[in-house]
Amino acid sequence: MSSQIDHLLDETRKFPPSEEFVAQSVSSPELYERASADREAFWGEQSRDLLHWHKPFTQVLDWTNPPFAKWFDDGELNVAYNCLDRHVEEGNGDRIALHWEGEPGDSRSISYAELTDEVKRTANVLAGFGVGQGDRVAIYLPMIPEAIAAMLAVARLGAIHSVVFGGFSADSLRARIDDAGAKVVITADGGYRKGKVSALKPAVDQALGDRGEGEQQTVEHVLVVKRGGNDVDWVEGRDVWWHDAVPAASAEHAAEAFPAENPLFILYTSGTTGKPKGILHTSGGYLTQAAYSHKYVFDLHPETDVYWCTADIGWVTGHSYVAYGPLANGATQVLYEGTPDAPHPGRWWEIIEKYKVSIFYTAPTAIRSFMKIGRSIPAKFDLSSLRLLGSVGEPINPEAWMWYREVIGANKAPIVDTWWQTETGAIMVSALPGVTATKPGSAQVPLPGISIDVVDEKGVEVGNGSGGLLVVTEPWPSMLRGIWGDPERFRETYWEKFEDQGYYFAGDGARLDEDGDLWLLGRVDDVMNVSGHRLSTAEIESSLVAHEATAEAAVVGASDETTGQAVVAFVIIKESYLAGHDPAGLAQLLRLWVGEQIGAIARPRDVYIVGELPKTRSGKIMRRLLRDVAEGREVGDTTTLADTAVMSIISAQVK
Ligand code: 6R9
């Protein structure tokens, strides 16, 4: 890895914005100056400029009880009002909010006035279910307009949504519903995925099945959108069709003002342990930074731009850059239900051509898979409307960056590589396209108002030309406010490591080059990044050992040309199970098992059946050595192993 990084740091190409781009850009160097002159005043200005406050705040930041920050604490606002009603009141009700494209080719364009109406009705339906301030609502939906309406309806009531990615299994959904104590689940019969209807409602039914002793069933209602047309079971009194309830509800709904720190959503993400963490975000600070970063990083001109972020709402990118940022800014955006290659490999480029998309935000894994199939596919479509490209989720290698620039951006659209996390809530590090000369492969610089550094294990700044750990040195508006139900884990995970300095530890390695630009080097913990999705080794290991065939399991993230990292598992099978089963069959069985237990994204690329695992004398599995095997490298230093012969046995078994 380190020779690869040295090679990256030789990157000297730079692409300054064109004069035309600078001339029309919403950002300017002045933004950095204002932010560094007075950071808090800057955020106060941004918040007042970008949002409507029902009751203005008088204090920007309260950091008297770190790591628990309060932003704009005495202010009051309504998040949904900011994303909808005010645009209608300002005369932009006819502007399209969503150009929605279904996978089979059906489409709907929905104006701000129409979306506002739908959200008000949905809020009335949810209020009728007894949902009010602070209640939790789980959302398990495909990428359809109702998904956005559902999130905003929950927000409108001051309630808290927990969106669960539609690709997650019934078990994962159940764990999230129970952890949050959700009162309502909003789902669909099914949605389209790779040309077929993939059912969702059965997973909800299963997730809501009988509770064991000491477990409580908190869900009272399930609101179901008809999308797939597939048959579904129905629980009378609990289940309600969206198309029955929402259109019949009143379209009158006054947006009540809630305190700035009223919780907005919980989003579960993988950590270093087996149990996903419910990351908690609140309202005023989150919406401020989502809107701010969306405006300046994407150089948004809401009257003329057509913006498209390809993320699913099940991930944080879908929260901040599909739901909240773009709608708070009154943008027109594309929402697409399906996969990039259905029904043909040019589907995304076809959509860009159809809606004249001008700003496009996607993940390196997608770019690499398009690179593999070649430039002839995008070449068939008119992509000349694109004027800005973005990347998120994992480091983008310079080759993919250059391909993105040349083939998709016609050698002129600036590329912004945006570093951030579920926990940071919004973009933290990125070029500003009208200011920064971009550099292939580097995420570059903190946004104005954000303080980032690279430090060593002791928290000492490493300086330009060196590597270390990425930290955030000052609180920021959209920072997580905690882990749902576990304040101690919040402190331990993010703040304990640099407690003396008061820094937030992001879990990423990074380097500063000679210009002071940041290069992200991947996670330094047991978190993997597969196609830009976070997965924990511990979570997959515990799923593997939950199978009756498994005695022991170790999981590593091995580098993969397309997905960045791939899940590779090493499994010891129980003696009693080995007889009568062939290893290939067992491996396949376990792959499918993990897919069922967690979701398809967690399914290992490879499962190796081995006789032993490499362990230190204290019994710790040395995943570093397994990673060497999984990546086909010579195995590194084995001297700390209890049994130094074990690696040659494993290598032989894997071959
Ligand atoms: C937004 C999102 C966060 C982790 C993060 C880091 C990796 C995200 C990146 C990047 C390099 C970028 N990551 N963006 N690494 N360059 N531009 O992806 O949130 O799912 O919580 O993942 O993703 O490792 O720590 P999340």
Side-chain angles (χ1 to χ4, degrees), residues 314-370:
W315 312 112
V316 75
T317 307
H319 281 62
S320 305
Y321 300 105
V322 178
Y324 292 111
L327 295 175
N329 289 335
T332 294
Q333 68 177 319
V334 169
L335 189 73
Y336 172 54
E337 178 184 32
T339 47
D341 52 356
H344 61 80
R347 190 63 197 278
W348 275 11
W349 318 124
E350 179 183 69
I351 292 172
I352 290 175
E353 177 180 284
K354 175 172 175 184
Y355 294 106
K356 298 193 169 43
V357 171
S358 55
I359 305 169
F360 183 59
Y361 189 31
T362 193
T365 181
I367 299 162
R368 287 193 299 264
S369 57
F370 289 124

Side-chain angles (χ1 to χ4, degrees), residues 262-344:
N262 193 52
L264 178 61
F265 66 85
I266 305 168
L267 184 58
Y268 288 84
T269 188
S270 295
T272 51
T273 70
K275 189 173 177 267
K277 308 176 274 199
I279 303 300
L280 178 69
H281 283 286
T282 60
S283 304
Y286 170 79
L287 198 63
T288 297
Q289 198 174 326
Y292 160 79
S293 54
H294 182 259
K295 174 176 174 176
Y296 291 105
V297 171
F298 298 111
D299 190 48
L300 185 76
H301 297 263
E303 313 76 27
T304 49
D305 274 317
V306 179
Y307 164 87
W308 183 18
C309 165
T310 64
D312 191 282
I313 51 145
W315 312 112
V316 75
T317 307
H319 281 62
S320 305
Y321 300 105
V322 178
Y324 292 111
L327 295 175
N329 289 335
T332 294
Q333 68 177 319
V334 169
L335 189 73
Y336 172 54
E337 178 184 32
T339 47
D341 52 356
H344 61 80

Side-chain angles (χ1 to χ4, degrees), residues 356-397:
K356 298 193 169 43
V357 171
S358 55
I359 305 169
F360 183 59
Y361 189 31
T362 193
T365 181
I367 299 162
R368 287 193 299 264
S369 57
F370 289 124
M371 260 174 96
K372 250 200 207 158
I373 42 179
R375 54 178 76 203
S376 63
I377 306 282
K380 290 189 196 130
F381 298 92
D382 178 5
L383 306 180
S384 61
S385 54
L386 289 172
R387 63 177 197 89
L388 179 63
L389 304 173
S391 173
V392 60
E394 54 177 318
I396 177 165
N397 46 308

Side-chain angles (χ1 to χ4, degrees), residues 317-650:
T317 307
H319 281 62
S320 305
Y321 300 105
V322 178
Y324 292 111
L327 295 175
N329 289 335
T332 294
Q333 68 177 319
V334 169
L335 189 73
Y336 172 54
E337 178 184 32
T339 47
D341 52 356
H344 61 80
R347 190 63 197 278
W348 275 11
W349 318 124
E350 179 183 69
I351 292 172
I352 290 175
E353 177 180 284
K354 175 172 175 184
Y355 294 106
K356 298 193 169 43
V357 171
S358 55
I359 305 169
F360 183 59
Y361 189 31
T362 193
T365 181
I367 299 162
R368 287 193 299 264
S369 57
F370 289 124
M371 260 174 96
K372 250 200 207 158
I373 42 179
R375 54 178 76 203
S376 63
I377 306 282
K380 290 189 196 130
F381 298 92
D382 178 5
L383 306 180
S384 61
S385 54
L386 289 172
R387 63 177 197 89
L388 179 63
L389 304 173
S391 173
V392 60
E394 54 177 318
I396 177 165
N397 46 308
E399 294 70 29
W401 198 101
M402 288 305 297
W403 190 90
Y404 198 21
R405 178 177 165 89
E406 285 168 20
V407 180
I408 308 303
N411 257 318
K412 62 170 204 282
I415 298 178
V416 288
D417 176 8
T418 62
W419 177 89
W420 59 294
Q421 310 176 296
T422 305
E423 292 87 342
T424 70
I427 296 171
M428 303 291 278
V429 177
S430 170
L432 286 185
V435 181
T436 322
T438 57
K439 215 185 246 186
S442 166
Q444 301 197 296
V445 285
L447 288 190
I450 300 297
S451 307
I452 298 264
D453 210 342
V454 180
V455 299
D456 66 15
E457 281 288 334
K458 294 203 173 72
V460 179
E461 241 179 279
V462 297
N464 289 0
S466 297
L469 303 170
L470 184 84
V471 292
V472 188
T473 60
E474 297 286 347
W476 64 103
S478 63
M479 67 199 284
L480 77 163
R481 300 300 198 265
I483 294 176
W484 184 256
D486 202 344
E488 202 33 53
R489 191 173 175 198
F490 169 60
R491 200 188 287 276
E492 262 170 37
T493 312
Y494 306 105
W495 303 93
E496 206 163 63
K497 190 166 179 75
F498 298 114
E499 202 166 20
D500 296 345
Q501 296 84 354
Y503 294 166
Y504 166 87
F505 171 52
D508 277 339
R511 265 187 93 138
L512 290 169
D513 68 14
E514 295 300 339
D515 300 332
D517 282 325
L518 271 166
W519 293 76
L520 273 304
L521 306 178
R523 303 286 308 186
V524 296
D525 52 16
D526 291 328
V527 173
M528 296 171 287
N529 190 325
V530 179
S531 296
H533 301 317
R534 271 164 74 170
L535 296 169
S536 100
T537 53
E539 195 180 356
I540 299 177
E541 284 166 5
S542 60
S543 157
L544 284 166
V545 296
H547 192 280
E548 55 178 359
T550 309
E552 245 189 295
V555 165
V556 298
S559 60
D560 182 282
E561 226 179 83
T562 308
T563 58
Q565 281 187 312
V567 179
V568 177
F570 296 81
V571 180
I572 304 177
I573 300 292
K574 283 182 192 149
E575 205 68 52
S576 58
Y577 225 87
L578 266 179
H581 292 92
D582 71 296
L586 283 169
Q588 180 61 2
L589 182 82
L590 291 172
R591 286 185 68 245
L592 298 177
W593 166 261
V594 174
E596 268 165 42
Q597 282 232 310
I598 304 176
I601 44 160
R603 204 186 285 148
R605 185 190 68 189
D606 305 306
V607 173
Y608 295 120
I609 309 293
V610 294
E612 271 179 89
L613 292 172
K615 289 189 185 154
T616 60
R617 263 154 242 142
S618 63
K620 265 195 160 181
I621 296 173
M622 291 189 71
R623 290 193 182 72
R624 165 175 70 78
L625 301 176
L626 293 174
R627 204 172 304 123
D628 289 341
V629 174
E631 294 178 350
R633 249 195 321 272
E634 180 126 4
V635 173
D637 183 4
T638 58
T639 49
T640 55
L641 282 179
D643 173 2
T644 49
V646 72
M647 282 318 295
S648 39
I649 301 171
I650 292 173

Side-chain angles (χ1 to χ4, degrees), residues 6 216 222 317 339:
D6 290 341
Q216 215 198 333
V222 180
T317 307
T339 47

